[in-house]
Amino acid sequence: MPPFPGARGHGRSPGSTFLDVGSTATVWRDLNPFWGEEFTLHLPLGFHTLSFYVMDEDTIGHDDVIGKISLSKEYIASQLRGIDSWINLSRVNPDEEVQGEIYLELHIMQDQHKSNLHCHVLEARDLAPRDISGTSDPFVRIFCNNQTLETSVIKRTRFPRWNDVLEFDLRGIEELDSGDQVISIEVWDWDMVGKNDFLGRVWFPLEPLHRNPAVTGWFRLLPFGNTEEENGGKLGSLRVKVNLSEERILPSLYYQNLTQLLMESVQSPDQGDCSVLALLEETCSAESRQEVAVKLVKMFLGQGLAVTFLDKLNMREVNRTADPNTLFRSNSLASKSMEQYMKIVGMPFLHEVLRPIITRIFEEKKYVELDPCKIDMNRSRRISFKGSLSEQQIRESSVESLRGYLSDITNAILGSVEQCPPGMRLCFKQLHKRVEERFSGPGNQDVKYAAISGFLFLRFFAPAILTPKLFHLREQHADPRTARTLLLLAKAVQSIGNLGQQLGHGKEQWMSPLHPLIQQSVGRLRDFLDKLIDMESDVECWHTSRTLFHPSVTIKEGFLHKRKAEAVNLVTRFTFKKRYFWLSSQTLSYSKSPDWQVRSSIPVHRICAVERVDENAFQQPNMMQIITQDSETQGSHIMYIQCKNVNELNQWLSALRKVSLCNQRLLPTYHPGAYRNAHWTCCLQSDRTVRGCSRTHLAVTLGDWSDPLDPDAEAQVLYRHLLSAKDMLRNKYMEGAESAATGKPDSRVFCEKGLEVSTLTSPARRLLSVIEDLQRAHQAFERREREEASNHTHCT
């Protein structure tokens, strides 16, 4: 099998609809691609299957599907530790790629002389797009008792409404085999030329219909059934890691006590190992530490207490570390939280510092290699046209290129004191103080510098240099040649972050030509760190605002499809134009391409709402609307934009809502549909200026890595982790406290530690009380849902 041009992975979640929830970058000309990309996907609760499609990207024409794997929701949920395995790809059968639901009413009318089945076909939703326009021409074909009837064809829609009644004569059906006593309802896409395309089916045995007065409801469309044999891995295999987490988010009121308890834990004097923060840290397993760190950082950022929170964690970590050489080397909650804080607050700073040099490395594609065992003499022709170079010449050329790149990187980093966000600088200042107090001996002068550089260089700059795609510095992964250059540069930056302590002692002695430059950078590094923490104010940054960006910084950018304002009567595929968008805290601008000089701009302060658009409004998925108000006429304008997938949609919604959070003229309601054919598609109102029929979402987080604006979801995840450790907390703290209070022998342990029982148990007691209150609230909501479900008839 020859190398294919490029491999790309897609994730799709078929539920009531197929959602294109994520797409990796393309790995070019590689039969063994490695992506290493991670997606946090917010799927609908009713999703049925998570599918991964491996695509062959073509620069001309449509991308080809190499194969897919599909994981059912039940299977994912049954894997308590998640899925981490190689899974064989299977072929894609178009008849298996169905989606959507159909609404039916079935009932049997019978008397002494006849028995008829009435099938009322009302409507369908979220049907698969089979035509080039992104829609279908659906009709329904029904088989029953050797009879076939069809509905009318509804043109160009994925949300058809037939409202047709088809009637079948059931006389003589008793003579058929039991397997044939069914009604089969199939949905097809009508094509003028060629065969019709299958859109899905449902079927019912007739015997239960004789006992029930009627069967009514939405029914999920299913494929014909997979009859394909196992291909034995001939299409290759895909390794995936999947973890499913289902959360019921309660109203904000229920999380107030937990949030307040966490806030008090960082604002009150240090309570040592019995504080709520310490208890939370104690309950974190190695698997959950990353998730807990992310949620805690976002929660405290939203409350304006992130720096105080990190100082508490860092102080605990420093005080319990005996060997300064192991400080922050483990993946503790403090280390993970600092890392997440830098990614959230410092990402624009990282882009400003590294993007120019990373872009140049990608564009120049130089062949660079220092390891004698890996030098490829055949590549020397691309270095010089004068003939093949010797190994020594290749090495000298590589050293020269690496020195140039490394010099530019270190100059950019060490000259970025003023660009570094104040929150990061304040955090490093407090960390410097804690380490200096703990390790004050003459032999520990560099520990205070190593603690900061360990975070800034080893956990921030070096990983971004190694994998720019994962830090959004590039849209695509590096090719093998560029990746090797980035790896060598990341190693050098790591050595600088380690203050050059490992130089000359490792196995990679072939890196020695870069050692002088590394040593020189280490000398400058100390001066840079001194300036970085030289701040006059210790006031918590962004205490009154959740906007994390400098006005001049581009928060988000990329290609989107903008709907043309005059596109009323155009074919769907011509109504959207591809435009490149930039978002800062002041303007949303766009043009034909990133290099186009003429831009159109919308002031951010004019944005009144940023919301999703129902798919049936334009028969298109992943759409959002930006509602703005003109400052002079007070009139409103809606811009409709389509994103490439739901994850991209979430990130743009999140970023736009964040920058417009403090606008004065935010709307309380909006229309999730569009005004078409003299009415709103959502509420069918004919008045174009009528008040919106749905509430706006002014501060709802959508899972973007840079978004700290969902305290309810963050508190719910923390509650889930605490709930799993409730019994451990009760056994360790509450039972010991009760023994001490009653004078039992266990009280001797507490007396020896010099701690009062009330001091030791109060945070644990309060935390357990909050956990139990939330547990009761969840149980009450579950009971209510079961009661509501029991009041309705569900047919599946």
Side-chain angles (χ1 to χ4, degrees):
M1 183 176 180
F4 47 80
R8 185 175 72 252
H10 285 281
R12 300 176 77 186
S13 172
S16 59
T17 181
F18 274 142
L19 297 177
D20 187 357
V21 295
S23 179
T24 70
T26 301
V27 178
W28 294 95
R29 304 190 63 80
D30 195 341
L31 289 174
N32 300 285
F34 174 81
W35 290 283
E37 298 188 39
E38 182 176 315
F39 297 89
T40 299
L41 309 174
H42 293 255
L43 305 179
L45 288 176
F47 89 95
H48 303 291
T49 307
L50 181 65
S51 298
F52 298 82
Y53 292 76
V54 181
M55 314 289 291
D56 172 21
E57 180 168 333
D58 294 326
T59 53
I60 300 176
H62 294 287
D63 299 339
D64 300 318
V65 181
I66 298 173
K68 74 165 187 176
I69 63 173
S70 293
L71 305 173
S72 68
K73 178 181 180 181
E74 292 75 14
Y75 174 69
I76 300 173
S78 68
Q79 306 300 308
L80 299 180
R81 292 183 174 271
I83 299 170
D84 182 1
S85 61
W86 286 95
I87 304 176
N88 289 339
L89 296 172
S90 62
R91 298 186 186 279
V92 174
N93 181 355
D95 288 343
E96 300 294 320
E97 303 296 292
V98 303
Q99 66 182 77
E101 297 172 309
I102 187 170
Y103 193 90
L104 303 169
E105 293 180 357
L106 304 176
H107 64 277
I108 293 178
M109 304 289 293
Q110 56 186 355
D111 53 30
Q112 295 179 346
H113 304 288
K114 63 179 180 179
S115 177
N116 290 342
L117 171 64
H118 290 258
C119 184
H120 188 184
V121 183
L122 283 88
E123 59 183 319
R125 60 190 181 193
D126 300 325
L127 298 179
R130 296 298 194 202
D131 297 336
I132 193 172
S133 63
T135 61
S136 293
D137 303 319
F139 70 96
V140 177
R141 181 182 294 157
I142 305 179
F143 304 89
C144 182
N145 197 21
N146 296 321
Q147 304 167 60
T148 303
L149 297 176
E150 295 180 354
T151 67
S152 57
V153 177
I154 308 296
K155 295 291 187 67
R156 294 188 298 276
T157 182
R158 294 175 50 236
F159 298 81
R161 183 172 180 83
W162 295 283
N163 200 23
D164 288 348
V165 178
L166 306 179
E167 188 169 317
F168 295 86
D169 187 350
L170 297 182
R171 285 178 296 182
I173 197 169
E174 308 86 17
E175 302 174 2
L176 298 176
D177 294 336
S178 59
D180 294 329
Q181 295 181 20
V182 298
I183 176 172
S184 178
I185 302 162
E186 299 175 359
V187 184
W188 292 83
D189 167 45
W190 177 83
D191 287 327
M192 181 179 294
V193 180
K195 66 177 184 177
N196 298 332
D197 298 312
F198 178 68
L199 294 176
R201 69 189 287 255
V202 295
W203 64 275
F204 305 91
L206 291 178
E207 182 180 357
L209 292 177
H210 287 280
R211 299 191 300 267
N212 294 334
V215 173
T216 302
W218 285 101
F219 300 93
R220 176 189 170 203
L221 293 170
L222 300 173
F224 275 125
N226 189 4
T227 58
E228 187 177 328
E229 295 182 0
E230 170 64 37
N231 60 70
K234 294 179 180 178
L235 299 178
S237 301
L238 182 68
R239 184 182 179 185
V240 294
K241 293 184 178 182
V242 182
N243 285 282
L244 177 64
S245 173
E246 291 187 86
E247 304 288 354
R248 176 187 286 102
I249 310 297
L250 303 179
S252 301
L253 174 67
Y254 292 90
Y255 298 108
Q256 287 182 358
N257 289 337
L258 177 59
T259 302
Q260 183 63 30
L261 202 56
L262 289 169
M263 298 307 115
E264 290 177 5
S265 70
V266 302
Q267 292 175 306
S268 61
D270 185 42
Q271 296 175 308
D273 292 337
C274 60
S275 69
V276 170
L277 198 59
L279 295 174
L280 181 60
E281 184 177 9
E282 183 181 353
T283 60
C284 283
S285 62
E287 295 80 11
S288 65
R289 203 166 289 142
Q290 171 82 12
E291 185 177 34
V292 170
V294 171
K295 299 307 179 184
L296 283 172
V297 169
K298 288 186 174 183
M299 176 179 285
F300 284 107
L301 264 173
Q303 297 290 332
L305 293 170
V307 174
T308 308
F309 156 69
L310 291 170
D311 183 42
K312 288 277 187 179
L313 281 182
N314 291 337
M315 182 169 60
R316 285 176 46 78
E317 182 85 359
V318 169
N319 289 339
R320 66 188 178 197
T321 301
D323 183 0
N325 294 318
T326 64
L327 186 61
F328 294 113
R329 295 298 180 177
S330 65
N331 287 321
S332 63
L333 185 61
S335 299
K336 287 291 186 182
S337 298
M338 283 285 290
E339 188 176 334
Q340 293 305 315
Y341 178 76
M342 290 190 298
K343 285 185 177 181
I344 293 174
V345 174
M347 198 61 73
F349 162 60
L350 178 79
H351 286 198
E352 192 174 359
V353 173
L354 289 184
R355 178 171 278 172
I357 181 62
I358 294 296
T359 300
R360 183 155 64 88
I361 294 171
F362 268 75
E363 291 174 349
E364 293 179 351
K365 297 183 184 299
K366 292 183 178 181
Y367 175 65
V368 171
E369 186 54 75
L370 297 181
D371 187 351
C373 300
K374 295 184 178 180
I375 291 179
D376 186 354
M377 301 301 297
N378 294 327
R379 296 179 182 267
S380 63
R381 297 177 183 176
R382 301 186 182 184
I383 301 175
S384 173
F385 294 101
K386 298 179 181 180
S388 299
L389 299 179
S390 65
E391 181 177 324
Q392 180 62 28
Q393 289 174 315
I394 295 175
R395 184 175 171 83
E396 291 175 355
S397 173
S398 299
V399 169
E400 181 181 357
S401 297
L402 286 173
R403 282 176 177 167
Y405 290 145
L406 183 59
S407 178
D408 290 343
I409 290 173
T410 54
N411 287 338
I413 295 175
L414 300 180
S416 64
V417 171
E418 298 301 324
Q419 298 163 275
C420 186
M424 285 178 61
R425 295 182 63 182
L426 180 55
C427 201
F428 291 144
K429 177 179 180 178
Q430 293 178 338
L431 177 60
H432 178 277
K433 177 183 177 182
R434 302 300 182 190
V435 175
E436 189 175 37
E437 291 173 348
R438 176 71 173 84
F439 302 102
S440 56
N444 296 324
Q445 293 302 311
D446 278 343
V447 178
K448 57 191 177 184
Y449 294 113
I452 301 175
S453 64
F455 284 116
L456 193 58
F457 281 75
L458 275 59
R459 294 177 181 260
F460 193 55
F461 285 123
I465 294 169
L466 181 63
T467 52
K469 170 67 173 66
L470 303 186
F471 286 77
H472 306 280
L473 287 165
R474 298 289 297 182
E475 289 295 323
Q476 300 292 339
H477 289 291
D479 59 86
R481 174 182 292 191
T482 304
R484 182 60 180 172
T485 302
L486 295 173
L487 174 60
L488 296 174
L489 290 171
K491 287 177 179 289
V493 171
Q494 281 183 325
S495 296
I496 296 172
N498 283 322
L499 303 181
Q501 295 175 356
Q502 305 298 323
L503 293 183
H505 300 291
K507 298 179 180 179
E508 300 174 344
Q509 294 301 314
W510 39 265
M511 290 283 291
S512 59
L514 298 180
H515 289 179
L517 182 56
I518 292 173
Q519 290 285 15
Q520 179 184 351
S521 299
V522 169
R524 297 171 57 198
L525 174 61
R526 294 181 178 87
D527 181 59
F528 164 73
L529 296 178
D530 285 333
K531 293 179 180 178
L532 194 68
I533 63 175
D534 184 16
M535 298 181 66
E536 296 181 0
S537 175
D538 285 348
V539 177
E540 174 77 34
C541 302
W542 301 298
H543 184 74
T544 58
S545 173
R546 287 174 168 175
T547 301
L548 305 179
F549 305 108
H550 189 274
S552 64
V553 172
T554 298
I555 299 168
K556 188 165 181 60
E557 60 183 291
F559 278 108
L560 298 170
H561 286 82
K562 176 181 176 295
R563 191 173 190 274
K564 298 171 63 176
E566 67 278 8
V568 177
N569 297 317
L570 293 178
V571 179
T572 304
R573 67 178 183 274
F574 299 126
T575 61
F576 292 87
K577 290 295 184 181
K578 191 175 184 179
R579 293 291 183 263
Y580 197 86
F581 280 77
W582 296 266
L583 174 65
S584 71
S585 61
Q586 295 178 335
T587 60
L588 174 67
S589 56
Y590 58 93
S591 66
K592 290 185 177 181
S593 69
D595 302 323
W596 199 263
Q597 299 300 316
V598 180
R599 296 188 185 183
S600 301
S601 295
I602 300 173
V604 164
H605 67 82
R606 284 174 46 193
I607 295 178
C608 303
V610 184
E611 297 292 338
R612 296 173 184 266
V613 178
D614 287 344
E615 280 197 26
N616 61 348
F618 300 106
Q619 308 292 324
Q620 295 293 321
N622 307 320
M623 285 195 62
M624 65 178 176
Q625 54 182 307
I626 303 173
I627 306 174
T628 57
Q629 192 173 68
D630 186 75
S631 56
E632 297 178 358
T633 64
Q634 301 297 313
S636 62
H637 173 74
I638 303 177
M639 176 190 290
Y640 294 103
I641 294 176
Q642 185 181 31
C643 302
K644 61 183 179 182
N645 57 54
V646 71
N647 239 30
E648 187 73 9
L649 171 65
N650 285 345
Q651 292 182 9
W652 275 101
L653 282 170
S654 175
L656 284 162
R657 287 174 181 170
K658 186 186 303 180
V659 298
S660 59
L661 184 64
C662 299
N663 287 358
Q664 295 181 351
R665 292 179 289 185
L666 294 176
L667 296 176
T669 60
Y670 77 107
H671 289 284
Y675 192 81
R676 304 182 68 187
N677 300 323
H679 69 272
W680 289 98
T681 59
C682 45
C683 58
L684 304 181
Q685 293 285 334
S686 58
D687 184 0
R688 191 180 192 121
T689 61
V690 70
R691 178 183 172 89
C693 56
S694 296
R695 292 178 59 187
T696 52
H697 305 81
L698 301 180
V700 178
T701 193
L702 296 160
D704 185 12
W705 52 261
S706 61
D707 186 359
L709 298 183
D710 193 2
D712 296 338
E714 289 143 17
Q716 169 60 29
V717 171
L718 295 176
Y719 156 72
R720 170 165 50 83
H721 285 286
L722 288 167
L723 181 63
S724 64
K726 185 182 75 169
D727 292 339
M728 184 273 287
L729 289 172
R730 178 174 293 281
N731 294 336
K732 183 171 182 179
Y733 294 103
M734 300 304 292
E735 291 182 1
E738 291 168 0
S739 298
T742 57
K744 292 183 178 180
D746 287 349
S747 63
R748 175 176 51 83
V749 177
F750 301 101
C751 296
E752 289 176 355
K753 292 182 178 180
L755 296 172
E756 294 182 5
V757 173
S758 60
T759 303
L760 179 65
T761 60
S762 178
R765 189 181 298 276
R766 291 183 62 193
L767 184 59
L768 281 167
S769 176
V770 168
I771 296 172
E772 290 168 354
D773 287 345
L774 279 168
Q775 188 175 15
R776 283 190 290 269
H778 274 279
Q779 292 170 348
F781 272 85
E782 289 175 5
R783 284 195 301 271
R784 189 181 308 169
E785 289 176 357
R786 287 195 298 267
E787 291 171 359
E788 291 176 354
S790 65
N791 293 331
H792 297 81
T793 302
H794 292 278
C795 300
T796 57

